[in-house]
Amino acid sequence: MESQDGLVAENSDRSLEPPPRETADDYIEYFIYIVDPLLTRFDRQELLRSIRSSSLQLSKKLLDDYIWHCEGFNLEHQHRNGLDSLYGRTIFADSVEDEWLIVYVLRELSRRFKKAWIRVADSDGEFLLIEAARALPTWINPEIADNRVWINQGHLLIVPKSAPSAHTSVDISKSLSRQQALQFLASSRESLLHLDAVEEEAFFRVKKYPEQIKRNLHCAQGLIPRELAFILRKTPAFIGPAVKAFYLRDPLNMYTLQKRGTDLVMFPPIDLVRCPIKFTRVGFAQVKSQRFGLPQTWIDSVVKQFDSNVNEAWAEIGAKVSCGFEILMSDTIYQDIKAVREIQLILEDIKNGDEELPSDEIAACWDSFEDDDSWLDINYEDFEQQLSSADARNDAKGFGDTNVHENLKKMVSRFEDFLKDDAAGLDGVDLDEMDEDEGKDSSEADSDDMAEKPENEEAGDELTELIRATLGMSSQTMREIMGTSASTGQLDETKGNGLESEDLDDHEEIERLGQAMERELRNAGTLDLHSDHVSDERQHLAENILKSFKSQEGGSGPTSNLLGMMGLSLPPDKEE
């Protein structure tokens, strides 16, 4: 329901489908070892302590104002399997830039400490090798890649597959354990591979740091409760867990927010102030892009406090952030998070009078700057231009496989031809004919047909299921329409009879499909013709498609997916 002030309220009896409750968070692990046979264990431990101290100083210098999307960079002493090291593990989830920022910090540490050997890996494995896949030697494969890549003095070094036996007793032709890799580093570091092309590719994303650090953040203004403004001004990093809680909200969270009165929530919208809020770019995109109906208590409070002078964008951002903090503090699954415990302590200090909330005069002096969010808009012209030419990275550095770009352009071209082809039927586009037009010989065309036919059949099944779900038809009726043995035989018999017989069969098939759909929709009570004099079948079809789209309530569903496959996009439904 849309109120007079333009703020959108969400019906408490229905809520949009949120993202999955839990996601498999991506993470990065990093290890720092001291490799020097001449040092005692005490010397190595002292050097590790110096490295950790230096990492704290570097973090304070570069990352003091940085907002981590989930978790921050950290190093702790670890003793495992007889080895002393510094170890850290950071969940970065959707913010890949956090991962590369950590790689940059570790690389800088390796430049300061020549005896430090650093290994990094993430949830995908040896991601530096994945990044440099196009420049790797052919012998490197996932089976033997673990523990082969090390960072030392700012360089990327690789344990080779073979080395003179006089230099090492380690069998490096197979998969290496960490102990074996460190033993090789201690005895045969002169045999390590330093490939400029691989290093260039692997560290390509790191080159934009430290300038990229500020570009990873986004500042926006929001109307939030005064207590929450005080908390965010005191510790801006708390925004990360709150954004995650909001993004992963479930219907129970929404029901609680809708039903609770202002006296039952931790951050009631009764004393709102404008506050600059700093996000990661990923976090801001997650908050901004979510279609979210404001709880009625928020709408009433905003209208009462600001009348018609409210900035709707500020009110929306503030409500989303506040609801994220409310979920964070009330949902039991977040109670073990460090940020939750720290926020609880701050709230207790405020309640006890140990902390003083900012006055209106102080709040009015807060920075009113906010970043331009036009970077959220996708420029499809630029995207098409990227498809038609090599990307800037390959143009500048000479990297990249032109075959990949050609295959991508071919795929897009085929899809466009299929959409424009009025003669394309249920069997889809004729890939063999298109390949012949592109100059392929007959043997290549046959090979492509054998390889692609199962995928086409699977895609056809998915499209059929989308149509069935969109129109509310039973599986049995859909099978009768799409696949009776009699109709299959009839289609097979007319395949070679020329264009006219194919068009006739298609016309009959479409008529039979439409009649069966209408019978099914009548029986289900979803086909409402409104009056007897309405006879335009296309209007009936459009009405039922719109009803199905409306029932999705802005979320994803069969209708929007089917329309998307046809290149159509309906605007959000705001009618109530």
Side-chain angles (χ1 to χ4, degrees):
M1 180 178 299
E2 189 167 343
S3 62
Q4 293 180 353
D5 62 341
L7 300 178
V8 178
E10 184 175 52
N11 191 326
S12 60
D13 294 332
R14 59 182 175 90
S15 60
L16 303 177
E17 278 193 10
R21 177 62 167 169
E22 286 295 340
T23 57
D25 286 327
D26 291 319
Y27 64 88
I28 176 175
E29 287 185 304
Y30 31 100
F31 308 81
I32 301 180
Y33 295 92
I34 302 301
V35 179
D36 188 340
L38 301 179
L39 295 180
T40 64
R41 182 187 176 190
F42 176 80
D43 294 334
R44 288 194 296 270
Q45 289 178 337
E46 284 296 313
L47 189 51
L48 289 174
R49 277 191 281 269
S50 298
I51 294 175
R52 186 174 184 276
S53 176
S54 180
S55 73
L56 295 175
Q57 296 173 6
L58 186 60
S59 297
K60 185 172 182 59
K61 176 183 176 181
L62 297 175
L63 311 174
D64 195 32
D65 296 327
Y66 188 73
I67 304 294
W68 296 95
H69 185 63
C70 287
E71 297 178 350
F73 173 73
N74 63 90
L75 284 172
E76 298 294 339
H77 184 269
Q78 177 179 266
H79 181 77
R80 181 176 297 179
N81 298 326
L83 298 173
D84 291 295
S85 66
L86 293 177
Y87 169 76
R89 184 179 187 272
T90 299
I91 294 176
F92 59 86
D94 296 319
S95 185
V96 180
E97 291 296 342
D98 283 0
E99 178 179 31
W100 289 106
L101 176 55
I102 290 174
V103 173
Y104 168 76
V105 173
L106 292 171
R107 192 183 186 195
E108 290 301 305
L109 287 175
S110 75
R111 288 191 169 111
R112 297 185 181 187
F113 299 90
K114 297 183 178 181
K115 295 181 180 180
W117 291 79
I118 302 174
R119 178 179 179 268
V120 294
D122 65 9
S123 44
D124 292 325
E126 300 286 347
F127 68 95
L128 291 179
L129 290 183
I130 296 174
E131 193 71 12
R134 292 176 291 187
L136 288 178
T138 56
W139 59 267
I140 298 181
N141 58 68
E143 286 73 22
I144 63 172
D146 288 348
N147 299 303
R148 284 188 183 272
V149 184
W150 296 83
I151 300 173
N152 177 253
Q153 300 182 51
H155 296 297
L156 188 78
L157 302 172
I158 302 175
V159 176
K161 191 177 181 180
S162 61
S165 57
H167 292 178
T168 180
S169 59
V170 179
D171 183 6
I172 57 176
S173 62
K174 301 177 181 178
S175 178
L176 294 176
S177 67
R178 196 165 305 159
Q179 288 85 347
Q180 289 175 321
L182 290 171
Q183 183 179 345
F184 183 87
L185 296 180
S187 62
S188 309
R189 67 182 63 187
E190 67 278 0
S191 300
L192 292 171
L193 298 178
H194 176 230
L195 306 175
D196 291 336
V198 174
E199 182 176 296
E200 185 80 10
E201 286 273 85
F203 290 143
F204 181 82
R205 298 200 201 186
V206 178
K207 288 184 176 181
K208 54 190 177 183
Y209 289 96
E211 292 78 11
Q212 181 66 22
I213 293 176
K214 291 184 178 180
R215 290 196 291 266
N216 286 346
L217 303 178
H218 184 96
C219 182
Q221 300 289 332
L223 299 177
I224 58 177
R226 196 178 300 268
E227 288 184 351
L228 184 55
F230 173 78
I231 292 172
L232 282 176
R233 297 286 294 180
K234 187 179 182 69
T235 312
F238 288 156
I239 190 66
V243 168
K244 180 178 179 179
F246 173 78
Y247 188 64
L248 299 180
R249 68 193 185 280
D250 61 17
L252 181 59
N253 296 139
M254 291 307 304
Y255 178 83
T256 303
L257 291 173
Q258 292 284 0
K259 293 299 183 182
R260 282 182 172 180
T262 56
D263 56 332
L264 297 179
V265 295
M266 190 165 294
F267 299 105
I270 56 177
D271 184 17
L272 303 178
V273 295
R274 178 196 59 81
C275 178
I277 306 173
K278 191 182 295 184
F279 300 84
T280 63
R281 279 201 165 192
V282 172
F284 179 75
Q286 290 178 338
V287 170
K288 181 73 173 179
S289 63
Q290 289 280 293
R291 186 185 175 197
F292 177 68
L294 300 183
Q296 190 61 43
T297 53
W298 268 88
I299 293 180
D300 295 341
S301 180
V302 169
V303 173
K304 180 179 179 181
Q305 184 171 344
F306 296 95
D307 196 19
S308 60
N309 299 322
V310 65
N311 185 310
E312 293 182 18
W314 294 1
E316 181 184 2
I317 290 294
K320 290 178 176 180
V321 168
S322 300
C323 289
F325 273 97
E326 192 68 41
I327 296 170
L328 178 69
M329 300 302 296
S330 60
D331 198 321
T332 56
I333 68 172
Y334 300 118
Q335 297 310 299
D336 293 334
I337 296 179
K338 180 182 178 182
V340 172
R341 298 192 296 269
E342 292 180 356
I343 293 173
Q344 289 172 341
L345 292 175
I346 296 176
L347 290 175
E348 289 179 6
D349 290 340
I350 294 175
K351 185 177 180 180
N352 296 332
D354 298 331
E355 295 282 5
E356 183 178 353
L357 294 178
S359 63
D360 290 338
E361 291 76 15
I362 294 177
C365 296
W366 289 341
D367 191 1
S368 59
F369 169 80
E370 55 184 338
D371 290 314
D372 182 12
D373 61 2
S374 60
W375 55 270
L376 286 169
D377 301 327
I378 299 175
N379 189 325
Y380 289 99
E381 293 181 358
D382 292 345
F383 179 70
E384 291 178 359
Q385 185 177 0
Q386 294 239 352
L387 292 178
S388 61
S389 62
D391 56 38
R393 173 181 175 182
N394 292 332
D395 288 343
K397 300 299 180 182
F399 292 117
D401 186 354
T402 55
N403 292 329
V404 174
H405 296 282
E406 292 302 322
N407 292 336
L408 185 57
K409 287 190 290 184
K410 183 190 293 184
M411 179 185 69
V412 174
S413 176
R414 284 181 173 180
F415 184 69
E416 290 176 345
D417 292 340
F418 173 73
L419 292 177
K420 296 175 183 177
D421 187 5
D422 295 333
L426 297 177
D427 292 333
V429 67
D430 189 347
L431 294 178
D432 289 340
E433 182 179 346
M434 295 185 68
D435 287 337
E436 289 170 2
D437 292 341
E438 291 167 3
K440 279 194 172 184
D441 57 39
S442 59
S443 61
E444 290 175 339
D446 293 341
S447 174
D448 289 346
D449 181 62
M450 293 178 64
E452 296 178 6
K453 187 174 181 181
E455 296 180 3
N456 296 335
E457 292 176 356
E458 181 180 351
D461 293 340
E462 293 177 358
L463 181 58
T464 301
E465 178 61 23
L466 279 174
I467 295 174
R468 184 197 69 76
T470 301
L471 299 176
M473 303 174 63
S474 65
S475 300
Q476 180 179 357
T477 301
M478 200 65 186
R479 285 195 297 270
E480 292 175 357
I481 294 172
M482 302 298 294
T484 60
S485 58
S487 62
T488 303
Q490 184 181 5
L491 287 173
D492 290 340
E493 289 175 3
T494 60
K495 261 186 179 179
N497 293 338
L499 183 60
E500 294 182 0
S501 61
E502 290 181 3
D503 290 343
L504 181 61
D505 288 340
D506 286 343
H507 181 70
E508 293 174 352
E509 188 73 12
I510 292 172
E511 280 191 353
R512 189 157 56 86
L513 176 64
Q515 292 170 2
M517 287 180 179
E518 185 172 343
R519 287 197 304 272
E520 182 71 18
L521 292 170
R522 283 183 186 277
N523 295 335
T526 58
L527 183 60
D528 183 9
L529 300 183
H530 297 296
S531 61
D532 295 335
H533 69 273
V534 179
S535 58
D536 190 345
E537 295 182 0
R538 287 176 295 181
Q539 180 180 343
H540 305 334
L541 178 60
E543 288 176 354
N544 286 282
I545 288 177
L546 289 174
K547 285 183 179 180
S548 179
F549 179 78
K550 184 182 180 67
S551 67
Q552 295 176 191
E553 301 179 357
S556 61
T559 301
S560 57
N561 292 339
L562 181 58
L563 293 175
M565 294 175 67
M566 295 187 291
L568 301 176
S569 176
L570 294 180
D573 175 46
K574 296 183 179 180
E575 176 191 353
E576 273 298 339

